[in-house]
Each structure stands twice: as structure tokens, then as C-alpha cells.
Amino acid sequence: MRQIIDLIPRYLLNQSIKKYQSDKYCHKYKTYDHLVALLFGQLCKCSTLEDISVGIGVSETFIKDLGLQQSPAKSTMSDGNKKRNWQVFDHLYTALLKHYGSSLSKYSNQQIVEEVKDKTLLIRDSSTISVCLSMFDWAKFRTAKGGLKIHTQWDESMMLPNLVNISQAQTHDSKGFEQTIFPKDTIILEDKGYWDYEVILARIKAQNTFVTRIKDNTVYEVIEELELPEQEDQHILKDELIHLTGTKAKANRLSLEILRRVVVFDQQNNLQLEIITNNTTWKAATIAALYKRRWDIEIFFKQLKQNLNVKTFIGTSENAVKSQIFVALITYLLLELLRRVKAKGRTAFSNFVEKIRICLCYYLTLDYVIERIQPLVRSIRPVQATMKNEREHTLFAT
């Protein structure tokens, strides 16, 4: 585990600590200790503070190897989760993303959409996690149900989130981020839940490109139906230029903008998708391919929930929950970095995480775990042959 921890440059951690003064008035349980405890909890998928305390404290050698002076007590970890500002872990995650960004992009193995290969592509979506309202009273969702929502902005070049906001589950998707307008030539992919007339108009003026699904109740007028290619892109059913003619569109003058509606047949799910965008020059197949990239963020949510601990919380305060989620993101980043760069992407994320988790209690190098550990049957040699080999080795040594 120390080799994974060492992937976090100490100066980056110190910058985060300094920014949020997270070690102020702390004599023993420093930010580093807190981070190590939560990382251990993620890698071992611990569901309680006791699991973390027992797991780290099982061996003095292990404690020392982790760079700790002592194993953390349950009460100490509980206090840290309540009092240490969760933003220190958010800041560290962002710093690590910048530090390893070029490597993550280089080894992303993402297929390039040719027409937009030089543009910034961002995907926005959210995932809801249900919690018990009586225990997590700050996480209001419905009358008798609690929940929190992880609003995520996915950077397609790095294939990782570059912005995460955690809120109550009742927060609408369109209110999940403060920033809604981006630098020129940025492409934003969103589901129809993010549609906002004012935002869309502002993005058009900022020369952003949006690609999203059109809402069922959207009123529009077809200006021109564009020709479809005859021998290719058979999944494109319709391509047309439109004006929005609804009351809200007229009120903010979005009705004056020419938009594009592309209807795509999704063979895998046997349904038609109606996509709307402000780009009128790309191929219809490019727009369909871009919208399909939304599944990348869905896969991320699935991997995060299945392989790391973001559904069972070791603390009930808002600060504890956010700390745990951001350390889960740090863990995801480090594991994905190893999987892409060291393992060359040969193993699926879930299998890679399990391999690391199983081998965590052994003192094996990461290179050995990644390159040599394989699902092979191993037999124990007969006792007599083993004893003979040991005698020969002793004689040779003598």
C-alpha cells in the first residue's frame, strides 16, 4: 500500500494542508494520517471505523511502513471526519489530476471523434446515493427518505472527473454547478435534465457547443431538412434545422437561433434518440457519436459504486461523507493511473482493483502484482522433495 500512497507527491498534500489549515491544533491525527486511514478504508472496502483501526493496527511493521506513528483509534478517526475540512481532500484530488493529467490523457485509449479531436469535451451528469434520513438529517431528499447527489463533470481527454459537487439529492441537476459557460470551442454533453433556456443562449454567445437530448414537450418549427448519406450512417434517421417556438424560447430570444435536431436509432436499446445541438456543420454521425460518449460517465459511476466505498459511510456528518467521497475519487484516480500506465490497460478496472485488494496484505511490489500475478493454479511441492531441495541448498551454501 505504501507504493500507492507514494504516488501522492508530498508537496501537493502540503499545499492542500496549508490552504485549508487542516493540521492546525492537531497534535497526533494529522491530515496525512487521516488520508492514509481513508485510503486504506477504500482499498480494503472497510464499512466501519473499527475495520480501518483493526486493519491498520494488525502489525507494527505495517503501521511503520505506512509512515504512521500509531494506528488510528475509532474515536480519533470519528473526530477527524467531523472536524477536518473535507475541502482539503477535494483540493488534493484536483491537484493530483493536474499533476498526472498528461499521463492520464496519453494512456486513456479513448477512440477519437475526428471532427472534434482538437476541442475540449466535457460531460455533465449526476448520480444519487440513498441514505437514512434519520441518521443523515442534512441530506434531504423526500419526506421520509434521505439522499445525496454527486454532480460530476467528466473530462473526456483524461477520462476522469475534473469537477465534482456533492449536494442534497433534492438539488436539481441544472443547479448542480456554479459554472455553466466555458471557453470558446468547448463541447458540453448533457442529458435533457440540464436544459435551461438562459444557459443555452449564453453558451451560444460564448461559442460553446452543446449536445443534449431534446425535451418531450419542446415546441419547434422545422426550417430545413438536411440530406442523409445513402450508403453510410444508417442509424441516422433524420437531420434537420429548427427554430424553437415555445413561450420560454421566445421570451429570452432563443427562438431567433438556428438549432439542429438529429434523430438517431439506438440499436442496443431499441429506441430513438432526439438530439439537439447548436452546431450546424458537423456530420450527423459526429453528433450521434458525441452523445453516445455520455455512457463514459455512466460507466464511471458504476465502477465507483461497485469497487470503492461510496454507498456505505463511516460517518454521518456532511463533512465526513464528503471527505470519504473525495478520498474515494483520489483512490480511483491512483488506481486508474496504475491500470493505464503500469498495466497498459490490459485489465478491466474491476478486475484490477480486486487484484490490488487481494494482494494488499502481502509485501509485493506493484510491478510484481501487475505483471506476475495471474489466475493460475499453483501446487505445493511434495514434502520430501522440498526437504531434499533445502538440504542441497544448505550444502551448496556451506
Side-chain angles (χ1 to χ4, degrees), residues 193-241:
Y194 286 86
W195 182 272
D196 182 282
Y197 287 92
E198 298 292 339
V199 171
I200 292 300
L201 184 61
R203 285 178 179 172
I204 292 172
K205 292 180 178 178
Q207 298 184 52
N208 298 163
T209 300
F210 66 86
V211 178
T212 184
R213 284 178 67 181
I214 194 168
K215 284 192 168 185
D216 298 334
N217 61 351
T218 301
V219 183
Y220 62 89
E221 177 186 12
V222 178
I223 303 171
E224 180 184 356
E225 188 162 340
L226 305 177
E227 292 187 11
L228 301 177
E230 294 183 2
Q231 302 299 326
E232 57 183 14
D233 304 331
Q234 297 301 305
H235 61 300
I236 306 296
L237 305 181
K238 190 169 288 188
D239 185 7
E240 53 194 20
L241 301 180

Side-chain angles (χ1 to χ4, degrees), residues 132-193:
C132 178
L133 186 59
S134 62
M135 296 178 65
F136 299 81
D137 56 358
W138 56 272
K140 298 184 190 238
F141 187 17
R142 299 193 178 100
T143 305
K145 188 176 181 181
L148 57 99
K149 187 176 283 189
I150 306 176
H151 304 271
T152 305
Q153 181 174 284
W154 179 264
D155 187 308
E156 190 71 356
S157 64
M158 290 188 289
M159 293 290 285
L160 277 169
N162 68 354
L163 182 63
V164 173
N165 180 38
I166 302 167
S167 72
Q168 298 176 354
Q170 65 184 10
T171 303
H172 194 273
D173 285 348
S174 62
K175 307 298 181 184
F177 299 102
E178 291 183 4
Q179 183 184 5
T180 55
I181 312 303
F182 302 91
K184 179 182 176 181
D185 291 334
T186 302
I187 303 170
I188 307 103
L189 308 182
E190 295 169 326
D191 201 7
K192 55 187 177 182

Side-chain angles (χ1 to χ4, degrees), residues 13 26 44 69 102 108 211 220 235 269 281 295 300 347 359:
L13 177 58
C26 295
C44 294
Q69 297 297 317
S102 59
S108 67
V211 178
Y220 62 89
H235 61 300
N269 298 302
T281 59
W295 297 116
F300 160 73
T347 309
C359 297

Side-chain angles (χ1 to χ4, degrees), residues 68-92:
L68 304 176
Q69 297 297 317
Q70 62 182 42
S71 60
K74 286 170 54 180
S75 58
T76 305
M77 285 189 287
S78 179
D79 288 341
N81 282 336
K82 289 176 184 175
K83 297 175 181 177
R84 179 166 284 115
N85 191 339
W86 61 269
Q87 289 176 292
V88 68
F89 301 118
D90 179 6
H91 187 271
L92 178 60

Side-chain angles (χ1 to χ4, degrees), residues 37-52:
L38 292 180
L39 274 171
F40 179 86
Q42 289 297 333
L43 290 169
C44 294
K45 219 170 184 181
C46 298
S47 56
T48 66
L49 293 173
E50 184 173 353
D51 293 343
I52 297 173

Side-chain angles (χ1 to χ4, degrees), residues 97-134:
L97 201 64
K98 291 178 181 177
H99 184 74
Y100 288 115
S102 59
S103 295
L104 290 165
S105 298
K106 182 178 179 181
Y107 295 97
S108 67
N109 294 322
Q110 176 64 287
Q111 188 175 0
I112 296 172
V113 179
E114 192 63 29
E115 273 193 294
V116 297
K117 63 182 180 181
D118 298 324
K119 300 186 185 300
T120 300
L121 179 55
L122 302 176
I123 307 173
R124 288 188 158 193
D125 204 350
S126 69
S127 181
T128 301
I129 298 173
S130 297
V131 294
C132 178
L133 186 59
S134 62

